Amino acid sequence: MKIDILTLFPDMFAPLEQSIVGKAQEKGLVDITYHNFRDKADKARHVDDEPYGGGQGMLLRAQPIFDTMDKLSAKNPRVILLDPAGRRFNQAYAEELAQEEELIFICGHYEGYDERIKSLVTDEISLGDFVLTGGELAAMTIVDATVRLIPDVIGKKVSHQDDSFSSGLLEYPQYTRPYDYRGMTVPDVLMSGHHDNIRLWRMEQSLRKTLERRPDLLETYELSEDEQKILNKIKQEINK
């Protein structure tokens, strides 16, 4: 995957050189290039200006963004504008972006964008109902969530198939050695070696956590017959 990121602060992306995303770049599975669009600004290096019609704050000018985009060699990219008014990012969106060959991120600052910049854009994405000082942190989050889903970035595909939200439910609790740590022990079912009992326990724990913390996910999740039985049992326990 080829990723181009338009930003005023390329140094902010140093964390992407570490951990899983960093290793993915070392393996040649993803190529990330940063473009400081201030380099395409006027002689005074201004990338912002006052809005026509008045108003508070400054707007990101169209010219530096357009000129930077003109020099990119991407053929058919998804062009992502980080914007609080955009579509909410989630795991399904990350899985969608992971299928692409080329992504371009435009990270803004100031009060907003010149609306004409949006003519370059295929996707406007928001992380949630809050405002950051710029698009860099949002871009890093989306890149991280997307790159880890590219084949061979994580050793085994099943490593992320059971992640929270990948299945539509929150992930069940997990444990590793030692069995007893400060009086807290691993549930006996996980030590039993009985794979079907372990599967059902994990299913119950996943449903229970989802019901308690994110019941909204169950409104659109298609329950299997086993899941429906277990969920009914959990609800009966809660209503006692």
Side-chain angles (χ1 to χ4, degrees):
M1 176 184 284
K2 178 75 171 71
I3 299 176
D4 290 288
I5 300 177
L6 279 65
T7 173
L8 292 172
F9 302 101
D11 291 345
M12 286 186 66
F13 290 89
L16 292 183
E17 305 301 317
Q18 309 297 318
S19 189
I20 298 297
V21 180
K23 291 179 180 177
Q25 292 180 79
E26 291 175 3
K27 294 177 183 176
L29 298 174
V30 61
D31 176 20
I32 304 177
T33 306
Y34 307 102
H35 308 271
N36 189 337
F37 54 84
R38 194 180 295 279
D39 295 339
K40 294 294 182 180
D42 56 26
K43 291 182 179 180
R45 294 178 63 80
H46 291 154
V47 296
D48 62 320
D49 211 330
E50 298 175 350
Y52 281 119
Q56 295 183 350
M58 304 288 278
L59 297 181
L60 186 61
R61 296 172 58 223
Q63 175 267 318
I65 299 297
F66 272 79
D67 286 359
T68 303
M69 291 287 287
D70 285 344
K71 76 170 187 176
L72 301 184
S73 59
K75 297 178 180 178
N76 188 33
R78 291 280 285 271
V79 181
I80 297 166
L81 182 71
L82 289 312
D83 192 320
R87 174 182 164 190
R88 182 74 65 87
F89 187 69
N90 57 21
Q91 187 68 18
Y93 210 156
E95 292 169 358
E96 180 183 327
L97 294 178
Q99 305 303 312
E100 300 290 336
E101 294 184 2
E102 300 176 314
L103 299 176
I104 297 175
F105 291 84
I106 301 175
C107 304
H109 273 264
Y110 315 112
E111 185 67 21
Y113 302 89
D114 184 306
E115 189 69 15
R116 289 166 290 194
I117 291 172
K118 295 183 180 180
S119 67
L120 300 168
V121 171
T122 60
D123 299 71
E124 296 177 42
I125 300 181
S126 168
L127 292 189
D129 297 335
F130 54 90
V131 179
L132 298 170
T133 56
E136 283 77 13
L137 292 176
M140 277 189 275
T141 300
I142 295 169
V143 169
D144 186 279
T146 299
V147 168
R148 67 187 298 275
L149 300 177
I150 296 172
D152 299 324
V153 168
I154 294 181
K156 297 181 180 179
K157 188 176 181 181
V158 293
S159 295
H160 59 72
Q161 285 180 334
D162 289 336
D163 288 344
S164 290
F165 306 110
S166 288
S167 67
L169 302 175
L170 299 184
E171 189 177 8
Y172 49 79
Q174 299 194 72
Y175 300 82
T176 187
R177 293 182 178 85
Y179 168 75
D180 186 328
Y181 183 70
R182 299 191 178 190
M184 296 178 284
T185 58
V186 176
D188 290 338
V189 65
L190 298 179
M191 309 295 293
S192 68
H194 196 299
H195 297 298
D196 195 50
N197 285 349
I198 292 172
R199 178 184 68 84
L200 292 173
W201 180 86
R202 287 175 169 170
M203 185 183 296
E204 178 180 353
Q205 294 299 313
S206 181
L207 287 164
R208 189 181 296 276
K209 182 188 287 188
T210 304
L211 181 63
E212 291 174 350
R213 302 184 186 182
R214 289 294 305 277
D216 57 295
L217 296 177
L218 293 169
E219 296 174 5
T220 56
Y221 180 74
E222 188 173 344
L223 294 163
S224 68
E225 185 176 345
D226 282 344
E227 288 171 329
Q228 186 64 67
K229 290 179 181 178
I230 291 173
L231 183 60
N232 291 341
K233 174 187 170 185
I234 294 170
K235 288 181 177 178
Q236 288 174 0
E237 291 176 1
I238 292 174
N239 294 329
K240 282 184 181 180

